[in-house]
Amino acid sequence: TETGAMSPNGIVSIKRSIDRDITNEDLLQEEASNCNFTGTVVLGGPFSLEQGDKFFTIGSKQLVSYNLMVDYINRFKCGINLSTGNYAIELRSYDDQSDVQWTEVIAQKLAASDVDIFLGGYSSTLTKPLAEVAHENAKLLLAPGAASTPVFDGKDKVFGTFPPTNKYLAQAVEGLAKVGAKTIATVWEDAAFTRGVCAAAPDLAETNQLELTSAQEVIKTPNITVLEMVAQKLAQEDPDVVVTCVYDCVPWMKAMRNVNWSPKAQVFTVCVGLHDFTTEVGTDADYIMGVTPWDSSLNIQDSVTGLSAKDFADMFKIQTSELDVTYHAASAASVISIAVQALEASDTTDEVVLSQHIAANNFKTIYGDIGFDSNGQSKSPSLLIQYDTSGIVQTVFPEEASSGPILYPM
């Protein structure tokens, strides 16, 4: 197990809210001058804040989304509107260093604090200890970065906006079967999310009449040397489709390049749409596929902010100067909205009442119309996306949601 020994002097923490004590009535808009806050609702959790953290790249995108939503709601919506007044949102973030042990330590501290709602960071691996602590202490947890079913199993106050891992590949396998794929192989790293996604492949292959030629587990955070051996094996096997369930896709791309082989379709679980991925692999990204629960072309408006998916994507790009906005960011934005909608509809911060309301209702967010199954996981399906020859990500399946055709073979 990795340890957090690299931070012996304490944990980096960030608090974000709105300050009405520093103000000038002449500078405030007329409607804003009446926005007096009765108190504060605290949302908080562990996040990968440092650049050296394994999950920093995606986790930092989620934290940007949290900040954007909290600021927008505090500044333009007078925070959370309850019968007792308007309540500012305070967001508390603590660096987990992408480490399970540090995550649990932080979670225990938060459980004993005045945090009203726990927020998750990125990965099922890190969300699991947070969920366990939340459950043990009857705390509500909204988790935008976990898909592994055991994270949520038996925890009635833990909700996740990612689809369950066993549903991630459904559209990808069906879509590729429809364009002629006959054989499929899987490779996954030893982690909860990645293992769970690829574990669904055998049943999906059988359902769609594809032959599963091999299923290979590799070590956690595999390097090029490890993956090159797998790529050599697959080059001899030559499946039509390879699904690679890893957090960092670049080593697998380089491994395929080193053995001078690629399948007719390469599907990843995380990296498609991330600017860092295309920067690293260049034009090798063309035709590469991924699975995602969200796209910025989604036609929906958030019930709290009034923002559309595109509005949010534009805000995120301005804030970060990034060219792409992935589902990880949109998922994080959605849990802030879900928290506010539930608080306002229930008119309480009571965890039992809030949890019951969340379990029984749908919530319109920039991420979609989100409802939860009996296990507390999102009911929404994933999409199959693909880089076209211009390096632009297109939604390619299902057909009714597509912005371009499946390019097969690559």
Side-chain angles (χ1 to χ4, degrees):
T1 303
E2 298 175 47
T3 67
M6 69 288 289
S7 182
N9 297 318
I11 288 293
V12 173
S13 64
I14 304 171
K15 293 183 181 181
R16 192 179 192 95
S17 190
I18 189 166
D19 196 325
R20 287 284 298 182
D21 294 329
I22 304 174
T23 188
N24 185 308
E25 295 298 328
D26 293 333
L27 299 179
L28 292 173
Q29 297 177 2
E30 183 177 346
E31 62 272 21
S33 64
N34 296 319
C35 184
N36 296 313
F37 292 109
T38 301
T40 301
V41 172
V42 182
L43 315 180
F47 303 91
S48 297
L49 300 179
E50 297 297 327
Q51 291 185 1
D53 295 344
K54 176 178 179 178
F55 299 120
F56 172 78
T57 299
I58 295 175
S60 62
K61 296 177 190 299
Q62 294 190 307
L63 188 55
V64 168
S65 296
Y66 282 153
N67 291 340
L68 286 172
M69 290 292 287
V70 167
D71 288 353
Y72 193 97
I73 294 167
N74 279 340
R75 294 176 64 196
F76 301 114
K77 298 296 177 180
C78 286
I80 301 164
N81 303 305
L82 305 183
S83 62
T84 51
N86 297 322
Y87 289 77
I89 304 172
E90 180 178 304
L91 177 65
R92 297 182 190 171
S93 313
Y94 301 83
D95 181 28
D96 58 29
Q97 299 167 73
S98 295
D99 181 84
V100 171
Q101 293 177 351
W102 272 122
T103 299
E104 184 174 357
V105 168
I106 294 167
Q108 294 288 1
K109 292 293 185 181
L110 293 180
S113 74
D114 60 343
V115 171
D116 296 295
I117 298 174
F118 279 22
L119 296 179
Y122 181 64
S123 87
S124 296
T125 301
L126 296 181
T127 304
K128 190 172 187 293
L130 180 63
E132 290 170 351
V133 172
H135 179 64
E136 291 166 2
N137 291 274
K139 289 287 189 177
L140 171 61
L141 166 62
L142 300 178
S148 178
T149 295
V151 171
F152 305 91
D153 192 28
K155 304 176 183 72
D156 62 354
K157 296 179 181 63
V158 180
F159 299 90
T161 47
F162 280 179
T165 49
N166 61 4
K167 293 183 179 179
Y168 260 70
L169 294 177
Q171 300 285 6
V173 177
E174 180 183 348
L176 287 166
K178 286 187 174 182
V179 295
K182 301 298 182 185
T183 56
I184 185 171
T186 59
V187 181
W188 68 92
E189 71 170 286
D190 182 16
F193 167 68
T194 50
R195 187 187 310 111
V197 173
C198 269
D203 288 343
L204 291 171
E206 182 178 355
T207 298
N208 292 279
Q209 299 182 317
L210 272 68
E211 177 190 354
L212 181 68
T213 60
S214 67
Q216 175 73 52
E217 181 176 276
V218 295
I219 61 172
K220 194 174 185 179
T221 319
N223 58 28
I224 297 173
T225 303
V226 170
L227 293 173
E228 194 171 311
M229 291 187 289
V230 179
Q232 287 172 340
K233 175 187 172 185
L234 289 182
Q236 297 176 349
E237 196 175 294
D238 200 27
D240 294 337
V241 179
V242 173
V243 178
T244 309
C245 302
V246 292
Y247 285 110
D248 183 358
C249 307
V250 173
W252 177 249
M253 294 290 291
K254 290 183 177 179
M256 288 195 296
R257 169 63 71 185
N258 288 352
V259 303
N260 195 30
W261 174 83
S262 63
K264 294 177 181 176
Q266 171 62 56
V267 182
F268 285 116
T269 45
V270 173
C271 308
V272 174
L274 292 177
H275 182 61
D276 288 349
F277 174 65
T278 53
T279 299
E280 285 275 355
V281 303
T283 56
D284 280 354
D286 292 352
Y287 303 103
I288 297 298
M289 298 179 179
V291 287
T292 180
W294 177 83
D295 185 78
S296 61
S297 63
L298 191 64
N299 184 24
I300 196 166
Q301 279 191 318
D302 182 88
S303 291
V304 177
T305 63
L307 297 171
S308 67
K310 184 180 183 303
D311 291 334
F312 170 77
D314 290 343
M315 286 174 57
F316 189 92
K317 289 176 183 178
I318 292 170
Q319 181 73 18
T320 61
S321 299
E322 294 188 6
L323 301 178
D324 302 302
V325 185
T326 67
Y327 71 89
H328 314 89
S331 178
S334 76
V335 300
I336 301 296
S337 179
I338 291 168
V340 174
Q341 290 182 56
L343 286 159
E344 292 185 343
S346 302
D347 198 34
T348 182
T349 57
D350 181 86
E351 291 92 345
V352 173
V353 177
L354 288 172
S355 300
Q356 291 174 345
H357 181 83
I358 292 171
N361 289 276
N362 276 41
F363 303 87
K364 291 189 184 302
T365 75
I366 60 97
Y367 181 63
D369 190 3
I370 305 300
F372 300 94
D373 63 19
S374 59
N375 201 45
Q377 294 181 269
S378 173
K379 296 177 183 178
S380 301
S382 287
L383 309 170
L384 177 62
I385 58 175
Q386 183 179 32
Y387 288 105
D388 64 18
T389 54
S390 299
I392 298 171
V393 176
Q394 303 287 352
T395 300
V396 296
F397 196 81
E399 294 176 358
E400 62 269 20
S402 67
S403 58
I406 296 177
L407 301 178
Y408 178 90
M410 71 178 190

